[in-house]
Amino acid sequence: MVDGLPSPVDSFLRSPLRWLWLRWFSISPATLLALSFAVLIAVGTAGLLWLPALYTGPRLGFLDALFTMTSAVCVTGLSVVNTATAFTRWGQLWLLVFIQLGGLGLVTLTTLVIGALGRRLSLRSEVIVGAPMDYTHRHNVLSLTLRVARFTLGVEALGALLLWLLWLPRFGWKEAAWHAVFHSVSAFCNAGFSTFSDSLAGFSREPLTLLVISFLIIMGSLGYLSSEEALRWWRSRDQRSRRMSVHTFAALLVTGVLLVGGTVLFALFEWRGTLAPLGYVDRVVNAWFMSATARTAGFNSVSYSEVSNASGFFTILLMVVGGSPGSTAGGLKTTTLAVLGALAFTRIRGRRHAELHGRAIPEGTIERTVSLALIAFGVMTAAVFVLSFTEGRGAESVQAARASFLPVFFEVVSAFCTVGLTMDMSPSLSVAGKLLIIGLMFVGRLGPLSFFAALSLRARTHLRHVRPAQEDLIVG
């Protein structure tokens, strides 16, 4: 107090700002994550609606702008307009900024959260949920965040340089630089947006381009935690004595199996189909690219409206799996598939404890994994029902409505798992269909992670419930 006037601290403690300050520090991880993405989407949508010089033609309406920006921030790649022709360079730059913010913000946040899984959350991890922190913990958080950012920007810079060198003879240095930077960021963030009207179909006969893009996709889908540990393990002089964590082992194993297995199956399904016009080497590389991009990236070197039913359904399965936790990828995650596979293998062999890499998987992790899989299945099933109804009402015949079922199924899974591949259905969606896809992209980007973070904190923040009386039932 000075001369009867309240000090700034007293004024703050008595002001409404104090309530907002305290509320900020009490925000849960799921709420904080949802708010951060909602704010990014709102700011990006406002820019698409009001900023000048973003469009080559008519400005997008509110719903289409919201759809586009949700897809960009949630690094999905679905779009109701052609990014290459509808936006100027400034418009494409606006999208790229929010793709980077959505990808880098998510990977930074999830790395910090996942780093605390399997043990009591430290004060450093509590920063993520808005908890107070002191200077020492702030230094640790800053250090980890900077390492994640450095890893992200370093891989993107390397990818941009390689693409620029590959595209320099075709576009010239200035245009090649823009395309290279845009695609490097979009690929690493697994966003799937492209400055080419046909995505990467024009590069189906340029294997080096597809290999560089697939490298960026894979690095982005693995995440910082797995990539860093795998690199340290690889550099270790005695790899046998240095044991890899179960998390990284599962992520690398499932990623490798899906990449190789997907390449073989796509080559088998499309060898005489969409890949038939290509040479033998190009067919193999395109099959590899289809396997890499299907799990969350959204780029396409072939038209998915022309692939066989087998390839379409197999792509759906890969989209459901997605990438690894703590990465820019969506889907149920590679570690989820690893846990479910270990659980099934254990039950088949009649054993009690599921194991991975010589370690038993905690029961709590198995319960969360099964819960996430069931929730995702329920959401996607309900969305397929709704979208089949909203988009099937205008069909000319029952046969036409039935023919659209695979594209509807494909669109729902692509949106929920934030992949971005489409069988050319996105531009023709009804208003109800667009709203549903917007919701799926947002929930799909936040849902699995939000549940994972919330359940990991539950034991610390909630009292243990009393178990009711137990009674068995027959199953199977």
PDB file of all heavy atoms in Angstrom, residues 220-245:
ATOM      1  N   GLY A 220       8.319 -38.650 -39.084  1.00  0.00           N
ATOM      2  CA  GLY A 220       7.273 -37.945 -38.365  1.00  0.00           C
ATOM      3  C   GLY A 220       6.347 -38.876 -37.616  1.00  0.00           C
ATOM      4  O   GLY A 220       5.882 -38.556 -36.518  1.00  0.00           O
ATOM      5  N   SER A 221       6.092 -40.056 -38.171  1.00  0.00           N
ATOM      6  CA  SER A 221       5.168 -40.999 -37.531  1.00  0.00           C
ATOM      7  C   SER A 221       5.811 -41.780 -36.389  1.00  0.00           C
ATOM      8  O   SER A 221       5.111 -42.355 -35.567  1.00  0.00           O
ATOM      9  CB  SER A 221       4.617 -41.982 -38.571  1.00  0.00           C
ATOM     10  OG  SER A 221       5.641 -42.832 -39.066  1.00  0.00           O
ATOM     11  N   LEU A 222       7.141 -41.812 -36.338  1.00  0.00           N
ATOM     12  CA  LEU A 222       7.821 -42.489 -35.224  1.00  0.00           C
ATOM     13  C   LEU A 222       7.861 -41.610 -33.980  1.00  0.00           C
ATOM     14  O   LEU A 222       7.688 -42.086 -32.855  1.00  0.00           O
ATOM     15  CB  LEU A 222       9.246 -42.872 -35.622  1.00  0.00           C
ATOM     16  CG  LEU A 222       9.420 -44.143 -36.434  1.00  0.00           C
ATOM     17  CD1 LEU A 222      10.880 -44.327 -36.814  1.00  0.00           C
ATOM     18  CD2 LEU A 222       8.915 -45.358 -35.659  1.00  0.00           C
ATOM     19  N   GLY A 223       8.106 -40.320 -34.154  1.00  0.00           N
ATOM     20  CA  GLY A 223       8.165 -39.422 -33.016  1.00  0.00           C
ATOM     21  C   GLY A 223       9.564 -39.290 -32.451  1.00  0.00           C
ATOM     22  O   GLY A 223      10.462 -40.101 -32.726  1.00  0.00           O
ATOM     23  N   TYR A 224       9.754 -38.250 -31.641  1.00  0.00           N
ATOM     24  CA  TYR A 224      11.073 -37.929 -31.098  1.00  0.00           C
ATOM     25  C   TYR A 224      11.580 -39.003 -30.139  1.00  0.00           C
ATOM     26  O   TYR A 224      12.739 -39.394 -30.191  1.00  0.00           O
ATOM     27  CB  TYR A 224      11.023 -36.568 -30.397  1.00  0.00           C
ATOM     28  CG  TYR A 224      12.295 -36.230 -29.656  1.00  0.00           C
ATOM     29  CD1 TYR A 224      13.435 -35.853 -30.348  1.00  0.00           C
ATOM     30  CD2 TYR A 224      12.350 -36.307 -28.268  1.00  0.00           C
ATOM     31  CE1 TYR A 224      14.615 -35.558 -29.676  1.00  0.00           C
ATOM     32  CE2 TYR A 224      13.527 -36.003 -27.590  1.00  0.00           C
ATOM     33  CZ  TYR A 224      14.652 -35.628 -28.291  1.00  0.00           C
ATOM     34  OH  TYR A 224      15.806 -35.335 -27.621  1.00  0.00           O
ATOM     35  N   LEU A 225      10.713 -39.476 -29.233  1.00  0.00           N
ATOM     36  CA  LEU A 225      11.160 -40.429 -28.216  1.00  0.00           C
ATOM     37  C   LEU A 225      11.726 -41.694 -28.838  1.00  0.00           C
ATOM     38  O   LEU A 225      12.825 -42.144 -28.512  1.00  0.00           O
ATOM     39  CB  LEU A 225      10.002 -40.778 -27.285  1.00  0.00           C
ATOM     40  CG  LEU A 225       9.550 -39.699 -26.305  1.00  0.00           C
ATOM     41  CD1 LEU A 225       8.336 -40.177 -25.528  1.00  0.00           C
ATOM     42  CD2 LEU A 225      10.668 -39.335 -25.349  1.00  0.00           C
ATOM     43  N   SER A 226      10.964 -42.287 -29.754  1.00  0.00           N
ATOM     44  CA  SER A 226      11.415 -43.533 -30.388  1.00  0.00           C
ATOM     45  C   SER A 226      12.629 -43.307 -31.267  1.00  0.00           C
ATOM     46  O   SER A 226      13.566 -44.124 -31.278  1.00  0.00           O
ATOM     47  CB  SER A 226      10.269 -44.133 -31.208  1.00  0.00           C
ATOM     48  OG  SER A 226       9.166 -44.458 -30.394  1.00  0.00           O
ATOM     49  N   SER A 227      12.631 -42.208 -32.019  1.00  0.00           N
ATOM     50  CA  SER A 227      13.754 -41.934 -32.917  1.00  0.00           C
ATOM     51  C   SER A 227      15.037 -41.714 -32.139  1.00  0.00           C
ATOM     52  O   SER A 227      16.108 -42.222 -32.508  1.00  0.00           O
ATOM     53  CB  SER A 227      13.438 -40.707 -33.785  1.00  0.00           C
ATOM     54  OG  SER A 227      12.289 -40.923 -34.575  1.00  0.00           O
ATOM     55  N   GLU A 228      14.968 -40.944 -31.056  1.00  0.00           N
ATOM     56  CA  GLU A 228      16.165 -40.664 -30.262  1.00  0.00           C
ATOM     57  C   GLU A 228      16.725 -41.941 -29.630  1.00  0.00           C
ATOM     58  O   GLU A 228      17.934 -42.197 -29.684  1.00  0.00           O
ATOM     59  CB  GLU A 228      15.846 -39.648 -29.165  1.00  0.00           C
ATOM     60  CG  GLU A 228      17.068 -39.261 -28.345  1.00  0.00           C
ATOM     61  CD  GLU A 228      16.699 -38.538 -27.068  1.00  0.00           C
ATOM     62  OE1 GLU A 228      15.705 -38.940 -26.417  1.00  0.00           O
ATOM     63  OE2 GLU A 228      17.419 -37.591 -26.707  1.00  0.00           O
ATOM     64  N   GLU A 229      15.852 -42.765 -29.061  1.00  0.00           N
ATOM     65  CA  GLU A 229      16.331 -43.985 -28.415  1.00  0.00           C
ATOM     66  C   GLU A 229      16.876 -44.965 -29.440  1.00  0.00           C
ATOM     67  O   GLU A 229      17.899 -45.625 -29.198  1.00  0.00           O
ATOM     68  CB  GLU A 229      15.221 -44.639 -27.603  1.00  0.00           C
ATOM     69  CG  GLU A 229      15.712 -45.854 -26.840  1.00  0.00           C
ATOM     70  CD  GLU A 229      14.628 -46.523 -26.026  1.00  0.00           C
ATOM     71  OE1 GLU A 229      13.492 -46.020 -26.020  1.00  0.00           O
ATOM     72  OE2 GLU A 229      14.914 -47.563 -25.411  1.00  0.00           O
ATOM     73  N   ALA A 230      16.210 -45.070 -30.591  1.00  0.00           N
ATOM     74  CA  ALA A 230      16.707 -45.968 -31.629  1.00  0.00           C
ATOM     75  C   ALA A 230      18.078 -45.528 -32.124  1.00  0.00           C
ATOM     76  O   ALA A 230      18.959 -46.359 -32.376  1.00  0.00           O
ATOM     77  CB  ALA A 230      15.712 -46.016 -32.790  1.00  0.00           C
ATOM     78  N   LEU A 231      18.276 -44.206 -32.246  1.00  0.00           N
ATOM     79  CA  LEU A 231      19.575 -43.700 -32.690  1.00  0.00           C
ATOM     80  C   LEU A 231      20.652 -43.976 -31.644  1.00  0.00           C
ATOM     81  O   LEU A 231      21.772 -44.388 -31.981  1.00  0.00           O
ATOM     82  CB  LEU A 231      19.475 -42.207 -32.967  1.00  0.00           C
ATOM     83  CG  LEU A 231      20.736 -41.533 -33.526  1.00  0.00           C
ATOM     84  CD1 LEU A 231      21.131 -42.173 -34.856  1.00  0.00           C
ATOM     85  CD2 LEU A 231      20.507 -40.036 -33.706  1.00  0.00           C
ATOM     86  N   ARG A 232      20.337 -43.773 -30.369  1.00  0.00           N
ATOM     87  CA  ARG A 232      21.314 -44.052 -29.312  1.00  0.00           C
ATOM     88  C   ARG A 232      21.643 -45.545 -29.258  1.00  0.00           C
ATOM     89  O   ARG A 232      22.795 -45.938 -29.049  1.00  0.00           O
ATOM     90  CB  ARG A 232      20.770 -43.576 -27.963  1.00  0.00           C
ATOM     91  CG  ARG A 232      20.859 -42.066 -27.777  1.00  0.00           C
ATOM     92  CD  ARG A 232      20.577 -41.661 -26.338  1.00  0.00           C
ATOM     93  NE  ARG A 232      19.154 -41.725 -26.032  1.00  0.00           N
ATOM     94  CZ  ARG A 232      18.597 -42.637 -25.269  1.00  0.00           C
ATOM     95  NH1 ARG A 232      19.331 -43.608 -24.732  1.00  0.00           N
ATOM     96  NH2 ARG A 232      17.297 -42.613 -25.038  1.00  0.00           N
ATOM     97  N   TRP A 233      20.637 -46.386 -29.451  1.00  0.00           N
ATOM     98  CA  TRP A 233      20.865 -47.838 -29.451  1.00  0.00           C
ATOM     99  C   TRP A 233      21.750 -48.235 -30.630  1.00  0.00           C
ATOM    100  O   TRP A 233      22.628 -49.085 -30.509  1.00  0.00           O
ATOM    101  CB  TRP A 233      19.524 -48.557 -29.526  1.00  0.00           C
ATOM    102  CG  TRP A 233      19.639 -50.048 -29.539  1.00  0.00           C
ATOM    103  CD1 TRP A 233      19.766 -50.893 -28.479  1.00  0.00           C
ATOM    104  CD2 TRP A 233      19.632 -50.884 -30.712  1.00  0.00           C
ATOM    105  NE1 TRP A 233      19.843 -52.189 -28.903  1.00  0.00           N
ATOM    106  CE2 TRP A 233      19.766 -52.225 -30.266  1.00  0.00           C
ATOM    107  CE3 TRP A 233      19.513 -50.643 -32.084  1.00  0.00           C
ATOM    108  CZ2 TRP A 233      19.783 -53.296 -31.146  1.00  0.00           C
ATOM    109  CZ3 TRP A 233      19.547 -51.715 -32.957  1.00  0.00           C
ATOM    110  CH2 TRP A 233      19.675 -53.018 -32.492  1.00  0.00           C
ATOM    111  N   TRP A 234      21.518 -47.607 -31.780  1.00  0.00           N
ATOM    112  CA  TRP A 234      22.294 -47.930 -32.971  1.00  0.00           C
ATOM    113  C   TRP A 234      23.753 -47.516 -32.806  1.00  0.00           C
ATOM    114  O   TRP A 234      24.669 -48.202 -33.269  1.00  0.00           O
ATOM    115  CB  TRP A 234      21.680 -47.241 -34.187  1.00  0.00           C
ATOM    116  CG  TRP A 234      22.408 -47.511 -35.471  1.00  0.00           C
ATOM    117  CD1 TRP A 234      23.339 -46.730 -36.082  1.00  0.00           C
ATOM    118  CD2 TRP A 234      22.267 -48.672 -36.290  1.00  0.00           C
ATOM    119  NE1 TRP A 234      23.786 -47.309 -37.243  1.00  0.00           N
ATOM    120  CE2 TRP A 234      23.139 -48.508 -37.393  1.00  0.00           C
ATOM    121  CE3 TRP A 234      21.478 -49.815 -36.220  1.00  0.00           C
ATOM    122  CZ2 TRP A 234      23.246 -49.460 -38.403  1.00  0.00           C
ATOM    123  CZ3 TRP A 234      21.591 -50.770 -37.220  1.00  0.00           C
ATOM    124  CH2 TRP A 234      22.473 -50.587 -38.296  1.00  0.00           C
ATOM    125  N   ARG A 235      23.974 -46.385 -32.133  1.00  0.00           N
ATOM    126  CA  ARG A 235      25.338 -45.891 -31.940  1.00  0.00           C
ATOM    127  C   ARG A 235      26.079 -46.616 -30.825  1.00  0.00           C
ATOM    128  O   ARG A 235      27.289 -46.483 -30.702  1.00  0.00           O
ATOM    129  CB  ARG A 235      25.304 -44.391 -31.622  1.00  0.00           C
ATOM    130  CG  ARG A 235      24.917 -43.512 -32.815  1.00  0.00           C
ATOM    131  CD  ARG A 235      24.839 -42.068 -32.380  1.00  0.00           C
ATOM    132  NE  ARG A 235      24.589 -41.186 -33.515  1.00  0.00           N
ATOM    133  CZ  ARG A 235      24.393 -39.874 -33.407  1.00  0.00           C
ATOM    134  NH1 ARG A 235      24.423 -39.299 -32.216  1.00  0.00           N
ATOM    135  NH2 ARG A 235      24.177 -39.142 -34.475  1.00  0.00           N
ATOM    136  N   SER A 236      25.337 -47.359 -30.021  1.00  0.00           N
ATOM    137  CA  SER A 236      25.961 -48.049 -28.897  1.00  0.00           C
ATOM    138  C   SER A 236      26.964 -49.075 -29.405  1.00  0.00           C
ATOM    139  O   SER A 236      26.718 -49.808 -30.372  1.00  0.00           O
ATOM    140  CB  SER A 236      24.889 -48.739 -28.044  1.00  0.00           C
ATOM    141  OG  SER A 236      25.476 -49.476 -27.008  1.00  0.00           O
ATOM    142  N   ARG A 237      28.106 -49.155 -28.748  1.00  0.00           N
ATOM    143  CA  ARG A 237      29.135 -50.103 -29.180  1.00  0.00           C
ATOM    144  C   ARG A 237      28.697 -51.555 -28.975  1.00  0.00           C
ATOM    145  O   ARG A 237      28.945 -52.417 -29.791  1.00  0.00           O
ATOM    146  CB  ARG A 237      30.421 -49.840 -28.399  1.00  0.00           C
ATOM    147  CG  ARG A 237      31.059 -48.495 -28.713  1.00  0.00           C
ATOM    148  CD  ARG A 237      32.359 -48.322 -27.938  1.00  0.00           C
ATOM    149  NE  ARG A 237      33.004 -47.049 -28.278  1.00  0.00           N
ATOM    150  CZ  ARG A 237      34.142 -46.644 -27.745  1.00  0.00           C
ATOM    151  NH1 ARG A 237      34.790 -47.424 -26.865  1.00  0.00           N
ATOM    152  NH2 ARG A 237      34.662 -45.480 -28.081  1.00  0.00           N
ATOM    153  N   ASP A 238      28.045 -51.793 -27.842  1.00  0.00           N
ATOM    154  CA  ASP A 238      27.584 -53.151 -27.534  1.00  0.00           C
ATOM    155  C   ASP A 238      26.063 -53.125 -27.497  1.00  0.00           C
ATOM    156  O   ASP A 238      25.444 -52.841 -26.479  1.00  0.00           O
ATOM    157  CB  ASP A 238      28.124 -53.621 -26.190  1.00  0.00           C
ATOM    158  CG  ASP A 238      27.811 -55.103 -25.940  1.00  0.00           C
ATOM    159  OD1 ASP A 238      27.188 -55.718 -26.832  1.00  0.00           O
ATOM    160  OD2 ASP A 238      28.172 -55.604 -24.866  1.00  0.00           O
ATOM    161  N   GLN A 239      25.416 -53.391 -28.631  1.00  0.00           N
ATOM    162  CA  GLN A 239      23.971 -53.288 -28.740  1.00  0.00           C
ATOM    163  C   GLN A 239      23.266 -54.380 -27.945  1.00  0.00           C
ATOM    164  O   GLN A 239      22.111 -54.229 -27.547  1.00  0.00           O
ATOM    165  CB  GLN A 239      23.550 -53.349 -30.213  1.00  0.00           C
ATOM    166  CG  GLN A 239      24.059 -52.167 -31.020  1.00  0.00           C
ATOM    167  CD  GLN A 239      23.703 -52.283 -32.496  1.00  0.00           C
ATOM    168  OE1 GLN A 239      23.092 -53.256 -32.916  1.00  0.00           O
ATOM    169  NE2 GLN A 239      24.100 -51.294 -33.287  1.00  0.00           N
ATOM    170  N   ARG A 240      23.947 -55.486 -27.707  1.00  0.00           N
ATOM    171  CA  ARG A 240      23.317 -56.564 -26.948  1.00  0.00           C
ATOM    172  C   ARG A 240      23.167 -56.195 -25.467  1.00  0.00           C
ATOM    173  O   ARG A 240      22.183 -56.558 -24.832  1.00  0.00           O
ATOM    174  CB  ARG A 240      24.139 -57.840 -27.081  1.00  0.00           C
ATOM    175  CG  ARG A 240      24.127 -58.425 -28.498  1.00  0.00           C
ATOM    176  CD  ARG A 240      24.902 -59.742 -28.532  1.00  0.00           C
ATOM    177  NE  ARG A 240      24.864 -60.327 -29.867  1.00  0.00           N
ATOM    178  CZ  ARG A 240      25.467 -61.485 -30.176  1.00  0.00           C
ATOM    179  NH1 ARG A 240      26.139 -62.161 -29.245  1.00  0.00           N
ATOM    180  NH2 ARG A 240      25.391 -61.950 -31.409  1.00  0.00           N
ATOM    181  N   SER A 241      24.159 -55.472 -24.940  1.00  0.00           N
ATOM    182  CA  SER A 241      24.092 -55.106 -23.524  1.00  0.00           C
ATOM    183  C   SER A 241      23.203 -53.905 -23.288  1.00  0.00           C
ATOM    184  O   SER A 241      22.710 -53.702 -22.179  1.00  0.00           O
ATOM    185  CB  SER A 241      25.503 -54.812 -23.001  1.00  0.00           C
ATOM    186  OG  SER A 241      26.066 -53.706 -23.693  1.00  0.00           O
ATOM    187  N   ARG A 242      22.998 -53.083 -24.292  1.00  0.00           N
ATOM    188  CA  ARG A 242      22.134 -51.911 -24.160  1.00  0.00           C
ATOM    189  C   ARG A 242      20.727 -52.289 -24.609  1.00  0.00           C
ATOM    190  O   ARG A 242      20.461 -52.427 -25.794  1.00  0.00           O
ATOM    191  CB  ARG A 242      22.663 -50.751 -24.983  1.00  0.00           C
ATOM    192  CG  ARG A 242      21.857 -49.465 -24.757  1.00  0.00           C
ATOM    193  CD  ARG A 242      22.410 -48.319 -25.582  1.00  0.00           C
ATOM    194  NE  ARG A 242      21.664 -47.109 -25.340  1.00  0.00           N
ATOM    195  CZ  ARG A 242      21.933 -46.232 -24.365  1.00  0.00           C
ATOM    196  NH1 ARG A 242      22.941 -46.477 -23.554  1.00  0.00           N
ATOM    197  NH2 ARG A 242      21.216 -45.140 -24.210  1.00  0.00           N
ATOM    198  N   ARG A 243      19.853 -52.428 -23.656  1.00  0.00           N
ATOM    199  CA  ARG A 243      18.511 -52.911 -23.955  1.00  0.00           C
ATOM    200  C   ARG A 243      17.607 -51.777 -24.421  1.00  0.00           C
ATOM    201  O   ARG A 243      17.559 -50.704 -23.825  1.00  0.00           O
ATOM    202  CB  ARG A 243      17.910 -53.572 -22.710  1.00  0.00           C
ATOM    203  CG  ARG A 243      16.546 -54.207 -22.962  1.00  0.00           C
ATOM    204  CD  ARG A 243      16.003 -54.830 -21.708  1.00  0.00           C
ATOM    205  NE  ARG A 243      14.683 -55.377 -21.940  1.00  0.00           N
ATOM    206  CZ  ARG A 243      13.574 -54.633 -21.904  1.00  0.00           C
ATOM    207  NH1 ARG A 243      13.656 -53.349 -21.630  1.00  0.00           N
ATOM    208  NH2 ARG A 243      12.403 -55.185 -22.125  1.00  0.00           N
ATOM    209  N   MET A 244      16.860 -51.998 -25.501  1.00  0.00           N
ATOM    210  CA  MET A 244      15.898 -51.029 -26.003  1.00  0.00           C
ATOM    211  C   MET A 244      14.607 -51.123 -25.191  1.00  0.00           C
ATOM    212  O   MET A 244      14.194 -52.213 -24.791  1.00  0.00           O
ATOM    213  CB  MET A 244      15.603 -51.312 -27.485  1.00  0.00           C
ATOM    214  CG  MET A 244      14.717 -50.283 -28.164  1.00  0.00           C
ATOM    215  SD  MET A 244      14.419 -50.706 -29.905  1.00  0.00           S
ATOM    216  CE  MET A 244      16.073 -50.526 -30.581  1.00  0.00           C
ATOM    217  N   SER A 245      13.960 -49.985 -24.936  1.00  0.00           N
ATOM    218  CA  SER A 245      12.727 -49.985 -24.157  1.00  0.00           C
ATOM    219  C   SER A 245      11.622 -50.706 -24.919  1.00  0.00           C
ATOM    220  O   SER A 245      11.651 -50.827 -26.157  1.00  0.00           O
ATOM    221  CB  SER A 245      12.292 -48.555 -23.846  1.00  0.00           C
ATOM    222  OG  SER A 245      11.846 -47.908 -25.025  1.00  0.00           O
TER     223      SER A 245
END
